[in-house]
């Protein structure tokens, strides 16, 4: 990108500068640290100049926005055209209560819904299962059947919103419920917009809400890919997530590496199931974390886009531009928040959100200040949303595309991350791909190693966390945190009793048998799931049938 | 090597899969010379109490981030007592609102560590309380 | 009530406490072990060994469940290594045995090897005794498995099951020397993976070439998928078959005789060693002696003789110690 002679001159100049003014300053004042590193332990130089990016080739490495390799963004005009989708993850208690929260958020200017499910739902148990005790409605909304879905979206026309559902092991079932509900609302399936997370591999690694063993789980994923490709062309059939692995402790490089490795596994599985890459790849979406180290995060997003474009084009021969684009949702880093001096979290979230926007995210969730302690109250959620709105309308960073491109530091860091991610992907390929690497505990161990190192650095004070290990104050623990009324659990159980009495149980049995047969065979499961949910078979009943056919995953804890 | 290592069971009752804290703590305890039994996710109070009894641990550390701690932690204490193992120290950790801490303590949970607590605090607490 | 009585009555707490005592203060457990001795010898002790990750714990879990189906009471001891740096340990084998935790017919104990290198902990042997006397019909012992010697398990178990897996560097060339000799039963686990059959054939060939071939017991090779339970019936049948062979051929008694002999030797050695070091490590005598060696003021032989003198009464002098 630079003239050779100019570079040579610069090299000489920089050398003199280092021996002259820099050496003198160092002698007098020193620097705050022997060496500087990013949050992910990448070394940071004192100064970046064209010398550090001399290898870069503009066309090859950056290109134009909306063009291969999409380093600068997936869309030619980016936020000059349309802002990102502001999407606050929400849901707690029962469907009615969550419905109220959604309507509130939409009134406040939020542009997409994001459904959080409670743990029993995520693990395929009904609210009246013994393991559900104490968990119903706690971390999200409890959905037992289509009846709950009807309440959850009451008064919200499904063709008017885009809905993201954080659901993995039973993703196909919740998708079926959403589709069944659309039919009831008279909305054609091809008008549905949204995302199911459907990323089971990272559940084994980090998030823990798996049900079935990897093989049948991967089949469920492929089945949803095929079903979506055919019937829900505007639906993201998966959100391949680095977020939870990052939250579990890995660094930015590992986040991208493990996410892309998982993505490769999904694409491969779908190809093995006989799908054509360009039919499903356009509907693959991603989900990343935004941490505090702003420039590293921006570089991470840029590197991820470029890497994915290369992988899709070169490894999988995807032809459509949309198949090569890495579209992603971002959530700010929950693990970077502190329970101490929770107001400081507002500042952290602002930095993180800024990084996501500068990195070109397609949608964003900003965490609320007390998220380290409990579910956010309505006030905190509003503040978190306002943070996005201030960035969007007041900061000015949205007015040009990829504004940090060309920063010597950001470009050098983008390149560094790319190289390191490639090394990881090679290693995982050697291990036989992501699924095998997970089975062998490789990815888990990498994450834990980083998590433990981080913790030790925080405890030794080497890594400063404001308000936690430095600048501490005596403070009273916060009160008035949002709580889920325990009565919800009882109500949900009663609702189930009524449902089972009300519905056509013969049809339930029959459609469940259909699910069982499909599970035992090879046909796509999703249409059978649709029939079952439509007959008001519960999530737990359907999952029990699948557990019977597929077995359950035994966790492999690896240290 | 310590003549008699402290034995600790780190368990995750409830359904949440966030085991970063539990695993980091397990390692910190190990590095402090303790024998740490780790049983993984989704443990029922019954499993935890039975395991603690068979393993004859000094301490059970419970980690729960789903908000189900008020249901689950006291149940573990109660079951330990039923097993004649009421002397096993039960510690709790996770996103636990301060109002709940006193409730848990009333129900026999010896101490509760909330987000931001350092592993060294836990190590020290365990060493002090077990006092071999 | 003594711990031994508690053990005899099937009290879980007492059993657990006694094992802890054996681990930490074996000398204080002597009375209880004495009391339990007459009640031992009934359980079938099955060792499960193999490289890390071959599925020892998963197999142990599957076998235990299988035995439970027949109503047998099962004891499990799972040994993991301790960190040489801190002395601490992460004991994670139970992760694979979750469903057994609440089964009253099963007792599981995790153990740190505590510096011992033979694959088991020093306390494992007596812990087995405790479970045996407590009425367990089968005791499954999972070894450390980290490329160490298999000595301990051979001396402890009636039946040694050696686990191998296809495609994990466990191809036939790299099978640890010595593993063929210790196996009473081979199991190729993770048979759901490619190459399981090949590994089986290679192993068979290798066994056929073994000079020991033709002895009374030919180790069978079973194939399992421990995670689904496939093949576990056959594995258990093979283990039982070996037990029958042991009892029928009189080999059981021979093995147990050898074992008691080794144990007696160990107890004696241990007794002396403990007393010796307790005596000399007080007040820095030991260090002083080492210091003198360093300065060539004495030699190891004279030093040893000097250190041993206080332990030699007239009787032992007579036999020339
Ligand atoms: N595919 C497959 N995986 C298995 C099988 N048996 C065990 N595994 C998996 O292999 C991994 C290791 O299993 P463990 O039972 O912990 O192995 P181990 O030998 O006890 O391991 P260490 O105690 O660490 O030495 C786990 O992820 C198991 O789920 C099997 O038959 N097939
Ligand atoms: Mg094991």
């Amino acid at each position: 990108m630079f003239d050779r002679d100019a570079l040579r001159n610069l090299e000489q100049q920089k050398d003199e500068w280092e021996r002259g003014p820099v050496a003198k300053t160092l002698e007098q004042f020193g620097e705050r640290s022997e060496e500087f590193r990013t949050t992910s332990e990448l070394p940071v130089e004192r100064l970046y100049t064209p010398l550090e990016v001399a290898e870069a080739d503009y066309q090859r490495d950056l290109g134009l926005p909306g063009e291969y390799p999409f380093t600068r963004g997936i869309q030619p005009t980016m936020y000059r055209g349309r802002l990102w989708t502001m999407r606050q993850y929400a849901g707690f208690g029962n469907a009615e209560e969550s419905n109220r929260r959604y309507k509130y958020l939409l009134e406040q200017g939020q542009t997409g819904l994001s459904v959080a499910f409670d743990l029993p739902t995520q693990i395929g148990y009904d609210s009246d299962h013994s393991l559900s005790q104490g968990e119903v409605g706690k971390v999200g909304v409890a959905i037992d059947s289509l009846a709950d879905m009807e309440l959850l979206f009451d008064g919200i026309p499904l063709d008017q919103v885009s809905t993201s559902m954080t659901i993995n092991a039973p993703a196909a079932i919740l998708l079926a419920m959403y589709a069944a509900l659309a039919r009831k609302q008279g909305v054609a399936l091809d008008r549905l917009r949204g995302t199911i997370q459907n990323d089971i591999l990272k559940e084994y690694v980090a998030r823990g809400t798996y049900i079935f063993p990897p093989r049948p789980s991967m089949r469920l994923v492929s089945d949803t890919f095929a079903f979506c490709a055919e019937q829900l062309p505007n639906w993201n059939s998966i959100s391949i997530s680095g977020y939870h692995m990052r939250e579990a402790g890995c660094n930015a490089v590992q986040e991208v590496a493990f996410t892309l490795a998982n993505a490769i596994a999904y694409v491969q599985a779908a190809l093995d199931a006989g799908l054509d890459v360009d039919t499903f790849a356009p509907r693959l979406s991603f989900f990343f974390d935004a941490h505090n180290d702003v420039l590293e995060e921006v570089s991470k997003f840029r590197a991820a886009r470029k890497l994915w474009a290369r992988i899709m084009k070169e490894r999988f021969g995807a032809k459509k531009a949309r198949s090569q684009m890495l579209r992603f949702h971002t959530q700010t880093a929950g693990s970077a928040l502190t329970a101490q001096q929770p107001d400081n979290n507002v500042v952290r979230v602002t930095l993180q959100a800024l990084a996501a926007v500068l990195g070109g995210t397609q949608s964003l969730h900003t965490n609320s200040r007390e998220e380290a302690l409990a579910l956010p109250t309505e006030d905190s959620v509003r503040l978190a949303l306002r943070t996005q709105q201030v960035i969007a309308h007041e900061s000015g960073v949205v007015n040009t595309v990829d504004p940090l491109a060309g920063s010597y530091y950001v470009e050098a860091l983008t390149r560094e991350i790319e190289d390191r991610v490639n090394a990881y992907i090679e290693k995982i390929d050697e291990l036989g791909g992501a699924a095998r690497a997970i089975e062998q505990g490789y990815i888990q161990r990498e994450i834990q190693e980083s998590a433990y190192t981080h913790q030790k650095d925080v405890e030794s004070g080497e890594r400063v966390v404001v308000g936690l290990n430095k600048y501490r104050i005596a403070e009273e623990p916060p009160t008035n945190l949002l709580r889920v009324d325990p009565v919800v659990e009882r109500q949900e159980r009663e609702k189930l009793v009524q449902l089972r009495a009300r519905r056509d149980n013969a049809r339930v049995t029959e459609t469940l048998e259909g699910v069982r047969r499909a599970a035992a065979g090879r046909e796509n499961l999703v249409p059978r799931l649709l029939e079952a949910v439509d007959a008001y078979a519960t999530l737990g009943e359907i999952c029990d049938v699948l557990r019977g056919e597929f077995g359950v995953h035994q966790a492999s804890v690896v240290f | 090597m310590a003549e008699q290592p402290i034995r600790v069971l780190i368990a995750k009752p409830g359904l949440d899969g966030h085991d970063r804290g539990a695993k980091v703590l397990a390692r910190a305890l190990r590095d402090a010379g303790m024998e740490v039994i780790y049983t993984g996710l989704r443990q029922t109070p019954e499993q935890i109490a039975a395991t603690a009894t068979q393993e004859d641990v000094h301490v059970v550390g419970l980690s729960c981030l789903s908000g189900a701690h008020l249901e689950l932690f006291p149940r573990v204490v109660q079951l330990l007592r039923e097993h004649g193992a009421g002397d096993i120290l039960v510690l709790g950790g996770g996103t636990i609102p301060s109002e709940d801490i006193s409730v848990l303590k009333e129900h026999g949970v010896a101490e509760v560590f909330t987000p931001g607590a350092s592993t060294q605090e836990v190590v020290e607490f365990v060493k002090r309380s077990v006092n071999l | 009530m003594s711990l031994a009585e508690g053990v005899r009555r099937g009290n879980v707490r007492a059993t657990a406490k006694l094992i802890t005592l054996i681990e930490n203060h074996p000398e204080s457990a002597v009375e209880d072990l004495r009391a339990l001795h007459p009640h031992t010898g009934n359980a079938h002790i099955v060792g499960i060994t193999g490289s890390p990750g071959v599925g020892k714990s998963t197999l142990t879990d599957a076998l235990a469940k299988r035995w439970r189906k027949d109503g047998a009471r099962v004891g499990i001891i799972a040994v993991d290594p301790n960190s040489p740096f801190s002395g601490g340990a992460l004991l994670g084998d139970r992760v694979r045995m979750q469903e057994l935790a609440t089964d009253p017919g099963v007792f599981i104990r995790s153990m740190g090897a505590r510096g011992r290198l033979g694959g088991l902990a020093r306390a494992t042997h007596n812990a087995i005794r405790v479970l045996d006397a407590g009425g367990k019909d089968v005791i499954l012992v999972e070894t450390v498995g980290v490329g160490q010697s298999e000595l301990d398990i051979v001396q402890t178990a009636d039946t040694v099951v050696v686990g191998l897996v296809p495609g994990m560097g466990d191809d036939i060339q790299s099978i640890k020397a010595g593993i063929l000799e210790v196996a009473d039963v081979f199991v190729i686990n993770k048979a759901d993976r490619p190459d399981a059959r090949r590994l089986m054939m290679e192993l068979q060939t290798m066994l056929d070439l073994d000079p020991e071939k033709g002895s009374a017991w030919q180790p069978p090779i079973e194939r399992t998928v421990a995670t689904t339970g496939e093949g576990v019936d056959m594995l258990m049948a093979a283990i039982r078959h070996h037990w029958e062979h042991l009892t029928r051929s009189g080999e059981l008694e021979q093995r147990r005789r050898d074992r008691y002999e080794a144990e007696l030797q160990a107890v004696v050695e241990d007794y002396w060693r403990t007393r010796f070091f307790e005596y000399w490590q007080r007040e820095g005598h030991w260090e002083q002696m080492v210091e003198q060696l360093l300065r060539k003021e004495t030699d190891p032989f004279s030093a040893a003789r000097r250190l041993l003198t206080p332990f030699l009464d007239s009787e032992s002098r007579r036999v020339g110690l």
Side-chain angles (χ1 to χ4, degrees):
Chain A
M1 246 181 333
F2 303 94
D3 176 67
R4 269 177 202 287
D5 290 336
L7 282 176
R8 242 191 314 274
N9 286 342
L10 179 60
E11 193 166 7
Q12 198 181 345
Q13 201 183 350
K14 193 176 172 200
D15 200 48
E16 281 163 19
W17 172 75
E18 258 159 15
R19 276 180 293 148
V22 173
K24 208 159 121 206
T25 312
L26 286 181
E27 214 167 278
Q28 277 184 319
F29 307 110
E31 286 183 329
R32 282 181 296 106
S33 172
E34 281 279 305
E35 50 169 22
F36 290 77
R37 289 178 172 274
T38 66
T39 302
S40 304
E41 304 286 335
L42 304 182
V44 181
E45 303 297 328
R46 179 177 301 112
L47 186 77
Y48 287 83
T49 67
L51 290 172
E52 280 69 33
V53 292
E55 301 296 311
D57 178 286
Y58 186 85
Q59 313 299 344
R60 185 194 62 203
D61 295 320
L62 284 91
L64 293 171
E67 289 178 12
Y68 189 84
F70 304 101
T71 313
R72 303 204 59 183
I74 59 161
Q75 223 259 326
T77 59
M78 287 303 289
Y79 307 133
R80 287 167 68 102
R82 199 173 67 83
L83 293 167
W84 62 92
T85 304
M86 300 181 190
R87 195 193 290 281
Q88 297 296 97
Y89 183 57
F92 58 93
N94 54 26
E96 295 91 326
E97 208 166 345
S98 299
N99 176 265
R100 272 196 296 280
R101 176 65 70 91
Y102 296 158
K103 285 180 174 159
Y104 171 82
L105 285 166
L106 292 170
E107 274 161 31
Q108 294 299 315
Q110 171 162 310
T111 46
L113 294 179
S114 177
V115 184
F117 296 97
D118 72 355
L119 287 162
T121 306
Q122 295 186 46
I123 301 174
Y125 297 126
D126 286 335
S127 298
D128 58 356
H129 192 281
S130 66
L131 285 173
S132 303
Q133 256 178 54
E135 307 274 12
V136 176
K138 283 279 162 65
V139 304
V141 60
I143 299 292
D144 292 320
S145 73
L146 181 56
D148 291 321
M149 277 308 245
E150 289 162 6
L151 295 169
L152 187 66
F153 292 99
D154 182 50
I156 303 174
L158 297 191
D159 51 354
Q160 306 287 307
V161 288
S162 93
T163 303
S164 163
M165 294 194 270
T166 301
I167 193 76
N168 293 280
I173 303 170
L174 270 300
L175 176 68
M177 285 188 188
Y178 198 79
L181 178 63
R183 281 192 194 155
K184 286 212 150 70
Q185 285 192 358
V187 173
L189 294 190
D190 61 8
R191 304 211 45 199
L192 294 179
R193 285 177 303 124
T195 308
I196 40 171
Q197 198 161 74
N198 203 21
D199 172 9
I200 196 66
L201 288 174
K202 64 92 174 56
E203 296 295 329
Y204 300 125
V205 174
R207 194 166 168 275
T209 64
Y210 42 75
I211 305 175
F212 316 112
R215 207 170 304 177
S217 294
M218 290 299 277
R219 174 205 165 174
L220 277 170
V221 173
S222 294
D223 280 358
T224 51
F225 282 11
F227 182 80
C228 289
E230 211 170 280
Q231 310 247 358
L232 283 85
N234 293 309
W235 190 269
N236 297 316
S237 51
I238 193 168
S239 171
I240 307 161
S241 307
Y243 185 82
H244 314 91
M245 296 189 278
R246 187 78 189 271
E247 290 293 297
C250 77
N251 63 38
V253 171
Q254 293 167 326
E255 180 191 1
V256 174
F258 301 156
T259 308
L260 296 186
N262 287 348
I264 289 169
Y266 292 122
V267 172
Q268 193 59 55
L271 295 178
D272 293 347
L275 303 184
D276 173 69
V277 69
D278 281 312
T279 61
F280 66 88
R283 298 320 306 179
L284 305 179
S285 66
F286 289 82
F287 174 19
F288 290 111
D289 205 329
H291 255 262
N292 295 346
D293 192 330
V294 177
L295 296 178
E296 177 174 61
E297 293 299 295
V298 174
S299 308
K300 173 187 85 178
F301 295 124
R302 301 175 81 246
R305 264 198 301 272
K306 182 170 159 192
L307 283 155
W308 184 241
R310 292 251 158 88
I311 290 168
M312 289 310 285
K313 186 172 176 180
E314 287 165 18
R315 187 192 274 240
F316 293 117
K319 299 208 171 54
K320 281 192 197 164
R322 270 196 80 87
S323 303
Q324 304 165 351
M325 284 179 197
L326 180 134
R327 296 173 299 120
F328 65 99
H329 171 69
T330 308
Q331 179 168 343
T332 58
S335 61
L337 304 186
T338 58
Q340 294 69 27
Q341 304 177 40
D343 285 346
N344 297 346
N345 293 331
V346 178
V347 183
R348 293 190 180 101
V349 168
T350 308
L351 289 170
Q352 296 160 356
L354 183 65
V357 170
L358 289 170
T361 193
Q362 275 60 61
S363 65
L364 179 61
H365 166 105
T366 31
N367 283 327
S368 300
R369 64 187 145 188
E370 74 271 47
E371 219 121 338
L373 292 160
L375 288 172
T377 61
E378 213 154 81
D379 283 350
S380 313
V381 176
R382 189 183 341 99
L383 178 57
L385 179 58
R386 293 289 179 261
T387 306
Q388 296 196 38
Q389 290 160 340
V390 169
I391 292 173
H393 301 291
E394 300 184 21
S395 76
V397 300
V398 295
N399 295 336
T400 186
V401 177
D402 189 24
L404 292 182
S407 148
Y408 306 122
Y409 177 45
V410 169
E411 294 300 354
L413 203 51
T414 303
R415 180 59 196 260
E416 178 78 24
I417 292 172
E418 185 191 341
D419 289 347
R420 289 181 187 231
V421 169
N422 272 326
Y424 263 117
I425 292 180
E426 249 169 61
K427 165 88 189 166
I428 292 168
D429 280 340
E430 270 166 35
L431 291 174
R436 282 297 288 275
I438 291 167
E439 193 189 326
Q440 291 165 44
Y442 169 74
I443 292 178
Q444 295 90 315
R445 267 192 297 273
E446 285 288 309
I447 294 175
Q448 280 160 36
E449 213 49 58
S450 295
Y452 195 47
T453 310
H454 174 88
Q455 180 68 23
K456 284 202 285 200
D457 289 350
V458 170
E459 293 189 14
S460 70
E462 201 168 299
R463 201 182 278 266
V464 173
V465 182
V466 173
L468 178 72
N469 61 5
K470 208 169 184 179
Y471 314 115
R472 290 159 41 136
I473 53 169
E475 55 185 326
E476 286 297 310
T479 47
N480 281 331
L481 299 169
L482 182 76
R483 264 172 195 286
V484 176
D485 194 336
V487 89
V488 165
E489 189 159 326
R490 198 157 11 96
Q491 288 170 346
E492 289 307 295
R493 277 193 236 136
E494 282 162 14
K495 271 187 356 200
L496 273 168
V497 174
Q498 290 165 11
L499 177 82
R500 291 194 177 110
R502 197 173 62 223
R503 65 185 185 182
D504 177 353
N505 280 304
R507 212 180 128 217
V508 170
T509 314
E510 186 189 317
T511 54
L512 284 177
E513 176 55 22
V515 170
R516 199 198 57 72
R517 266 201 310 272
R522 315 177 99 210
E523 71 174 292
N524 193 319
L525 258 165
V526 185
R528 299 285 92 77
L529 295 172
L530 239 165
E531 288 165 11
V533 300
D534 200 54
Y536 294 92
T538 67
L539 180 76
E541 289 163 349
I542 297 172
C543 285
D544 279 343
V545 168
L546 295 178
R547 275 185 271 258
E549 286 303 318
F550 293 160
V552 293
H553 175 67
Q554 297 292 337
S556 61
V557 173
V558 196
F559 278 102
Chain B
M1 195 193 291
E3 184 52 35
Q4 180 180 352
I6 296 175
R7 284 169 68 87
V8 184
L9 169 63
I10 297 291
K12 278 196 61 64
L15 301 180
D16 82 272
H18 301 288
D19 55 2
R20 174 178 180 167
K23 284 183 168 173
V24 165
L25 180 62
R27 286 182 63 156
L29 295 170
R30 190 266 317 262
D31 288 349
M34 303 180 198
E35 287 183 349
V36 184
I37 293 130
Y38 187 77
T39 46
L41 304 177
R42 300 190 205 166
Q43 299 287 293
T44 64
E46 286 74 14
Q47 287 172 321
I48 294 169
T51 299
T53 311
Q54 292 172 7
E55 297 289 352
D56 192 28
V57 293
H58 300 93
V59 178
V60 177
L62 302 173
S63 161
C64 176
L65 282 83
S66 72
H69 48 270
L70 284 182
E71 283 83 357
L72 298 168
F73 293 5
R75 179 94 184 111
V76 172
V77 175
Q78 183 201 338
L79 286 165
L80 282 172
R81 287 178 183 155
E82 286 171 18
H83 284 75
D87 55 321
I88 294 177
L89 203 67
V90 177
L91 308 180
T95 43
I96 295 171
S98 55
E99 305 94 275
D100 292 0
I101 294 179
S102 50
V103 181
L104 291 174
K105 286 188 174 172
E106 274 164 35
H107 284 87
V109 175
E111 191 53 86
V112 176
F113 296 91
T114 49
S118 77
T119 59
Q120 286 319 300
E121 275 170 60
V122 183
V123 167
E124 288 313 316
F125 184 88
V126 168
K127 283 187 172 163
R128 219 169 37 240
S129 318
V130 173
N131 201 8
L132 287 174
Chain C
M1 187 173 68
S2 74
L3 290 177
E5 283 169 66
V7 170
R8 288 289 294 150
R9 289 182 200 178
N11 182 304
V12 175
R13 183 84 169 137
T15 307
K17 285 263 171 225
L18 183 51
I19 294 176
T20 305
L21 199 62
I22 292 167
E23 284 192 289
N24 295 337
H25 303 288
E27 66 289 352
S28 312
V30 167
E31 277 314 309
D32 289 298
L33 286 172
R34 254 186 213 156
L36 291 177
H37 187 76
H39 308 288
T40 60
N42 304 312
H44 180 187
I45 301 161
V46 180
I48 317 255
T49 189
S51 305
V54 298
K56 296 183 292 297
S57 303
T58 319
L59 273 172
T60 302
D61 177 69
L63 283 169
K65 282 181 185 147
R66 187 57 197 76
W67 251 294
R68 287 296 293 144
K69 236 170 54 188
D70 291 359
R73 284 156 299 180
V74 180
I76 297 174
I77 294 176
V79 189
D80 275 321
N82 287 67
S83 152
F85 305 107
S86 69
L90 284 169
L91 311 176
D93 293 318
R94 283 190 83 111
V95 172
R96 318 227 175 274
M97 310 177 191
Q98 309 231 10
E99 285 161 36
L100 297 174
T102 49
D103 180 340
V106 178
F107 183 102
I108 309 174
R109 182 65 174 237
S110 315
M111 263 186 189
R114 300 196 183 172
R116 185 162 168 127
L117 297 177
L120 298 180
R122 200 168 60 131
T124 306
H125 189 69
N126 279 325
I128 291 170
R129 291 271 166 77
V130 172
L131 298 182
D132 186 352
K136 297 294 181 245
D137 303 300
V138 185
I139 297 166
L140 302 169
V141 183
E142 179 185 340
T143 72
V144 170
V146 190
Q148 292 165 318
S149 99
E150 304 291 337
L151 213 65
D152 283 353
I153 196 63
V154 174
Q155 286 180 357
T156 302
D158 303 316
T159 303
V160 175
V161 178
V162 171
L164 301 169
V165 290
M168 225 178 77
D170 254 343
D171 40 33
I172 227 69
Q173 287 82 357
S174 63
I175 285 178
K176 258 189 315 189
I179 204 117
L180 293 181
E181 290 69 32
V182 306
D184 298 308
V185 175
F186 283 102
V187 55
I188 293 175
N189 187 39
K190 308 198 186 182
D192 50 333
R193 289 201 180 161
D195 293 342
R197 187 170 272 286
R198 208 190 67 201
L199 176 60
M200 177 157 173
M201 287 178 352
E202 288 177 349
L203 182 60
Q204 192 58 60
T205 314
M206 198 154 176
L207 290 177
D208 289 344
L209 295 172
D210 193 49
E212 299 268 316
K213 186 175 153 64
S215 64
W217 176 257
Q218 295 298 317
I221 308 173
E222 299 300 334
R223 274 186 298 172
T224 56
V225 181
T227 39
T228 63
E230 221 178 298
V232 172
D233 277 356
M234 293 292 290
L235 176 59
M236 187 180 78
I239 296 170
R240 279 187 162 163
H241 189 182
H242 181 247
W243 176 249
E244 281 156 24
H245 160 78
L246 287 178
T247 41
R248 211 168 346 96
S249 65
E251 202 183 323
L252 185 66
E253 204 178 294
Q254 186 54 44
R255 281 197 186 198
R256 290 193 166 172
R257 183 175 292 119
D258 294 349
R259 199 178 300 156
Y260 277 127
E261 189 183 336
E263 182 176 3
L264 187 58
Q265 193 180 334
V267 171
V268 169
E269 281 173 10
D270 203 49
Y271 177 83
W272 277 107
R273 192 180 303 115
T274 313
R275 294 205 27 196
F276 178 86
F277 285 106
E278 252 171 25
Y279 185 85
W280 282 115
Q281 282 180 340
R282 274 176 310 191
E283 295 162 29
H285 290 299
W286 183 253
E287 284 79 6
Q288 283 169 25
M289 195 58 86
V290 175
E291 202 55 37
Q292 289 181 22
L293 279 170
L294 191 66
R295 284 187 261 110
K296 304 280 186 290
E297 291 168 10
T298 183
D299 60 274
F301 310 99
S302 320
R305 187 172 294 272
R306 238 162 74 205
L307 293 171
L308 283 166
T309 308
F311 296 91
L312 305 180
D313 56 22
S314 52
E315 184 64 11
S316 35
R317 276 176 223 280
R318 195 180 61 75
V319 295
L321 263 172

